[in-house]
Every structure is written in structure tokens, then in C-alpha cells.
Amino acid sequence: MQNGIAADGVCSSESANGSRDVWSCKGSDSSSADHLVIMVHGILGSSSDWKFGAEQFVKRLPDKVFVHCSERNMSKLTLDGVDVMGERLAKEVLEVIQEKPNLCKISFVAHSVGGLVARYAIGRLYRPPKEEVKEDKSGDGCKEEQRGTIGGLEAMNFITVASPHLGSRGNKQVPFLFGVTAFEKAASCVIHWIFRRTGRHLFLTDDDEGKPPLLKRMLDDYDEFYFMSALHTFKRRVLYSNVAYDHIVGWRTSSIRRDGELPKWEETLNETYPHIVYEEHCKACDADQHETISIEDDGSSDKLEEELVRGLSRVSWEKIDVSFQSSRQRFAAHSVIQVKDEVMHIEGADVIQHMIDHFLT
């Protein structure tokens, strides 16, 4: 469908480039929707991967959100590297903002490697706070905050779904390698043959002009990059993670935890969110709090992974653990958690509902 009306009064349009915009068909709702939600797909994906999620957001929040499913990095373009994709996404977001001057707020919902791309993009879109606080008298209800913005908009929710924040090279970070050290080392050496520059970034083997791996550089602000300031400016940062059967992205890397911090979980009896098995609100930790944790104590030999955990723990996170262990499509957990296909992966619908029910508008 290029342009049209979906069920329940949801309008959508698809550009020639493949981007998808979703909004309420009711005029009064669409005119009052001032919250831009950017949805970002994963590797070799497309804007249609978030079709179900985008429509659910608009159905539940018709007068609040305008959803844009990104298209700038579709298919093989996802192999160009996290930084290249992040630059493209940042430009795409600015174009959407320029086309809709009534927008006041912005949130990101990103799947898989899209979570890393979104983190890079917000680092480029971040604008430091202005010295003075002024009330906007244009009548559109927006106010300048004494804090940084993302593309000039108030940063609300930053949500990632099964994203490899610690990279993919650590033990059991890519479950289909079965935790076999020899397989994991071999993958680090050959991954760029398959996933090119993005593979190097994921396995932390990139060495651009002698610089540290990109994921390590994304732990700090430098030059015109505001990676951590951008993360910090969001009111919520949320990690949805598969505890099992995700053969692409491991539980530890998607939830930013050490092995010893992975919680014990049980199948839930919650009828509303049957696949949500554990929720944790982690406060920001400073460097002093981490000094008591040694790499040896945690049973890990990867110092770089420990640096990533510590760096990303400087901001607070809501960690939502998901299990499809009893689902028919459990072996497709990486796609089910996103409801990539409305028919095949519909068992993940409660995860999308949980996302919307806790969404700050």
C-alpha cells in the first residue's frame, strides 16, 4: 500500500524510497500529535519490519504520536557500518522534523543493530542546552528546556529491542555459535566477509586510523559527537531483551549486564504481558561504584566488554526481559520480540503493548 487507511483509523504512506509514516486519520488527532517516534530496523531489514509496531502506537496514542519508520539504511546498506548508517539516520530525522514544524518531542524505538545506529544518530543530533530558558510564544505549546535536545526536540523515550550494545564478540554474545570459543574467535576473523564494515563494528575489530573500536568511542562525548550527553538527555532509556532462543543477539549484550548480573526468571502468569518475565530499573552508576567489581570476579576475560558495561551504566536503564520459551515461534525470538511479521510473529504483540503502555508522551 503506497497511501491509504489501515484498520481502526490509522493512516499510512510509503515514499518511493521506502520510508513509512503512520498517523491517525482523524484530523483533530493528527494536528495535535506533536511527538515524533522514529522506528529503526535491524541488519538487512526495511521500514516494513516495524509496520505492526507503528500501527499499534498510533491506534493506542492517536492524538499523541506521529511515527516514522526509517528507510535510509535498508537492506544491504546496513552493511556499511554503524557510523555511516548513523549519519544517514541523523539526516533523515532532521528532514522529517523540518517537514513537520508542529513537533515538540522525539523518541526512538530500534531493533537489533538499529539500536547502535540510533545511539550514533542521537549523538549527532544532540544540541547542548541554551543558557537562557524562554517560553515559546508562538502558540504551539512547545517550551525550551534547560537541557539538551535531539534535533531541537524534547527527548522522551530511547528504546532498544534485542540490540547488541556490548558488541557480538564476547562469549555467548552470538548464541548460534554455541559459546564455543574456537567458533567465536573464527567469527571475529571472518565476519567482515559477510557483514562487511558493520561486522567489524559488532565484533569490535575495527581500527579506523588507529582509533579505538567505534562502540568504545561511543561511550564519550568528543569533538562534534555527544553520544553520552544525548543518551542522558532522554527521560527514559529502555532495553528489551530475549532471555533465550535469540540466536542472533545474546541476553547479556542486549541487556547491558555482566554474566553474574543476569537475573533468575520464571514464566509469568501475567495475562496482559505473558512474555515479560523480569523487569529491573537500574540507576546510573559512577566510576567509584564499579571499582569493587573486577573482571576476574565476574568470570569474564574481556576487558573491552567490561569497559562498555561500565560506560553505558553511567546512565539509568529500564531493563525488560522477555521469554518466548513456550511459544511456537521461539526459535525466531529475535523477530518475534519486534513482531517483524504480523502473522508469523504475532506472539510478540504483548511486548509492543508493554512498550506503548509505559511510553512517556
Side-chain angles (χ1 to χ4, degrees), residues 344-356:
M344 293 181 60
H345 306 137
I346 195 61
E347 288 185 88
D350 63 307
V351 178
I352 303 298
Q353 182 178 344
H354 184 279
M355 204 179 294
I356 297 169

Side-chain angles (χ1 to χ4, degrees), residues 18-298:
S19 67
R20 180 185 297 271
D21 291 332
V22 185
W23 68 95
S24 172
C25 293
K26 188 176 179 181
S28 58
D29 286 342
S30 60
S31 61
S32 64
D34 63 355
H35 191 153
L36 174 61
V37 181
I38 301 292
M39 293 191 163
V40 189
H41 59 75
I43 203 160
L44 299 176
S46 72
S47 61
S48 64
D49 293 354
W50 275 115
K51 180 180 182 295
F52 177 82
E55 291 178 357
Q56 292 304 307
F57 262 80
V58 173
K59 286 177 185 178
R60 298 289 300 277
L61 306 169
D63 61 335
K64 303 292 185 183
V65 302
F66 177 89
V67 180
H68 177 81
C69 299
S70 172
E71 52 78 22
R72 209 57 58 90
N73 294 302
M74 293 198 301
S75 190
K76 291 184 179 180
L77 293 177
T78 57
L79 307 180
D80 292 342
V82 171
D83 52 355
V84 173
M85 289 190 284
E87 295 287 352
R88 290 184 191 134
L89 178 60
K91 291 178 182 178
E92 181 180 8
V93 171
L94 289 177
E95 290 171 8
V96 176
I97 293 173
Q98 290 167 1
E99 291 174 2
K100 296 190 67 64
N102 66 309
L103 296 171
C104 296
K105 306 170 186 176
I106 189 169
S107 292
F108 286 78
V109 181
H111 178 246
S112 195
V113 76
L116 302 180
V117 176
R119 277 179 47 205
Y120 188 98
I122 64 172
R124 296 296 274 157
L125 292 166
Y126 177 80
R127 298 178 184 175
K130 296 182 179 180
E131 293 183 4
E132 298 181 6
V133 182
K134 297 180 180 179
E135 190 167 326
D136 186 355
K137 298 181 180 180
S138 63
D140 63 5
C142 298
K143 293 182 180 180
E144 284 190 24
E145 296 276 343
Q146 195 174 12
R147 60 188 298 166
T149 65
I150 301 297
L153 304 182
E154 182 181 5
M156 301 298 288
N157 309 269
F158 187 85
I159 301 171
T160 66
V161 183
S163 293
H165 291 286
L166 307 181
S168 302
R169 82 171 187 180
N171 183 241
K172 297 182 181 179
Q173 298 292 45
V174 181
F176 77 79
L177 296 174
F178 308 110
V180 178
T181 302
F183 290 173
E184 291 172 342
K185 288 183 177 180
S188 296
C189 297
V190 303
I191 194 66
H192 63 280
W193 294 350
I194 306 170
F195 295 117
R196 302 201 310 233
R197 198 156 177 271
T198 300
R200 292 187 185 278
H201 288 154
L202 290 174
F203 277 79
L204 310 173
T205 57
D206 54 305
D207 182 22
D208 296 338
E209 300 177 354
K211 297 177 182 178
L214 177 64
L215 296 192
K216 181 178 179 180
R217 283 180 272 149
M218 287 169 59
L219 297 177
D220 295 294
D221 296 349
Y222 64 93
D223 298 333
E224 297 180 353
F225 300 91
Y226 296 91
F227 297 122
M228 291 307 294
S229 291
L231 265 183
H232 187 268
T233 202
F234 282 86
K235 293 186 176 180
R236 295 176 71 228
R237 289 157 298 279
V238 191
L239 305 167
Y240 284 85
S241 307
N242 281 310
V243 303
Y245 289 101
D246 188 327
H247 300 295
I248 308 299
V249 177
W251 185 13
R252 197 170 77 245
T253 187
S254 59
S255 64
I256 312 179
R257 292 185 177 110
R258 303 171 181 86
D259 264 331
E261 295 170 341
L262 295 174
K264 294 181 179 179
W265 58 274
E266 297 178 354
E267 292 287 353
T268 180
L269 298 177
N270 188 323
E271 294 183 1
T272 306
Y273 315 119
H275 298 108
I276 305 294
V277 296
Y278 195 87
E279 298 186 46
E280 181 179 17
H281 291 240
C282 299
K283 296 181 180 180
C285 298
D286 57 31
D288 292 338
Q289 289 174 283
H290 284 300
E291 286 181 358
T292 58
I293 302 174
S294 71
I295 296 175
E296 290 75 15
D297 290 342
D298 190 53

